[in-house]
Amino acid sequence: GAGVSQSPSNKVTEKGKDVELRCDPISGHTALYWYRQSLGQGLEFLIYFQGNSAPDKSGLPSDRFSAERTGGSVSTLTIQRTQQEDSAVYLCASSYTGTMNTGELFFGEGSRLTVL
Amino acid sequence: QQQVKQSPQSLIVQKGGISIINCAYENTAFDYFPWYQQFPGKGPALLIAIRPDVSEKKEGRFTISFNKSAKQFSLHIMDSQPGDSATYFCAASRSGYSTLTFGKGTMLLVSP
């Protein structure tokens, strides 16, 4: 496909379980971002990957959250020991350039996580 | 610390009316101000963006007005249509930094 692909589109899990969310960015895009969207909270930055540089993890809310990007392409966001407050839509975006003042972000449709 | 404040939280406008959404920022280093549009079940998509060297940018029915001294910018949707019903996010970033800081969003409903 031509757009950013995310899977699963919906995930229901029990509190305390680990979950993995996958993002396949647009081919050729060097930058990849994860955002979290909660009701009434807007879009919260989580983590940013740019090429082979060390990722910017400054938005990760706790050490239960981690992400990796393999081969400069696909990324996986992992949430360990999920809590009910982790319930949200997790959005992945990619862009051709890491310089935000020139690059448009292309978002996927998100993975909706519900923690029971 | 909320660096980009967006208002109103929700907005109802009649078809053909003008929709106005406002944002204020705190960081004077911000130099890129995009607006994103999000339909239910979809990811946000870039609508229009402005840099502080101009005070206004217009694309079709959508206009961004920018007031650098007040650290405010706004989105105006002229002749609003039911198809414009969506959530709108303002955002800001600064040169050399990777992340967009988003406002909390405005849910716009254009009644037929």
Side-chain angles (χ1 to χ4, degrees):
Chain A
V4 175
S5 178
Q6 291 189 244
S7 62
S9 55
N10 280 286
K11 176 72 176 180
V12 179
T13 190
E14 293 180 348
K15 177 181 174 181
K17 300 286 189 182
D18 296 352
V19 297
E20 288 188 348
L21 308 176
R22 175 189 167 104
C23 173
D24 199 345
I26 293 173
S27 178
H29 280 192
T30 56
L32 186 146
Y33 315 79
W34 284 97
Y35 281 84
R36 178 168 69 176
Q37 184 171 21
S38 306
L39 191 63
Q41 294 302 311
L43 296 166
E44 177 188 10
F45 166 74
L46 297 178
I47 189 170
Y48 159 71
F49 296 89
Q50 168 57 26
N52 295 321
S53 301
D56 176 357
K57 304 179 182 180
S58 61
L60 294 178
S62 77
D63 58 8
R64 297 186 296 105
F65 289 73
S66 63
E68 62 177 17
R69 188 179 185 191
T70 55
S73 181
V74 172
S75 176
T76 302
L77 177 69
T78 300
I79 309 173
Q80 295 179 312
R81 306 180 303 280
T82 52
Q83 303 295 312
Q84 288 182 334
E85 60 263 29
D86 300 334
S87 296
V89 176
Y90 289 82
L91 289 162
C92 176
S94 68
S95 68
Y96 180 72
T97 174
T99 304
M100 292 302 296
N101 61 352
T102 61
E104 173 183 350
L105 264 59
F106 294 83
F107 282 87
E109 295 192 344
S111 292
R112 180 176 296 277
L113 174 66
T114 302
V115 182
L116 301 177
Chain B
Q1 180 186 12
Q2 185 184 357
Q3 296 193 54
V4 179
K5 295 183 179 180
Q6 182 172 348
S7 63
Q9 207 170 6
S10 62
L11 180 63
I12 300 175
V13 174
Q14 286 193 332
K15 178 182 176 181
I18 302 174
S19 303
I20 301 174
I21 304 171
N22 300 298
C23 282
Y25 62 96
E26 299 170 1
N27 190 338
T28 55
F30 285 151
D31 61 0
Y32 175 65
F33 303 91
W35 285 89
Y36 279 75
Q37 180 188 54
Q38 183 180 32
F39 293 105
K42 303 295 185 182
L46 180 65
L47 182 63
I48 187 172
I50 197 169
R51 300 188 187 280
D53 52 341
V54 296
S55 60
E56 186 175 282
K57 182 175 182 179
K58 183 176 181 179
E59 291 184 0
R61 296 184 293 108
F62 300 90
T63 299
I64 299 179
S65 297
F66 182 80
N67 185 330
K68 188 174 182 178
S69 61
K71 294 189 288 184
Q72 295 176 346
F73 58 110
S74 59
L75 176 69
H76 291 63
I77 306 174
M78 311 300 289
D79 186 26
S80 299
Q81 300 296 312
D84 297 330
S85 298
T87 299
Y88 292 82
F89 293 94
C90 63
S93 69
R94 53 183 173 139
S95 298
Y97 284 79
S98 58
T99 60
L100 275 173
T101 299
F102 285 89
K104 291 192 174 184
T106 297
M107 291 183 62
L108 171 65
L109 176 63
V110 181
S111 58

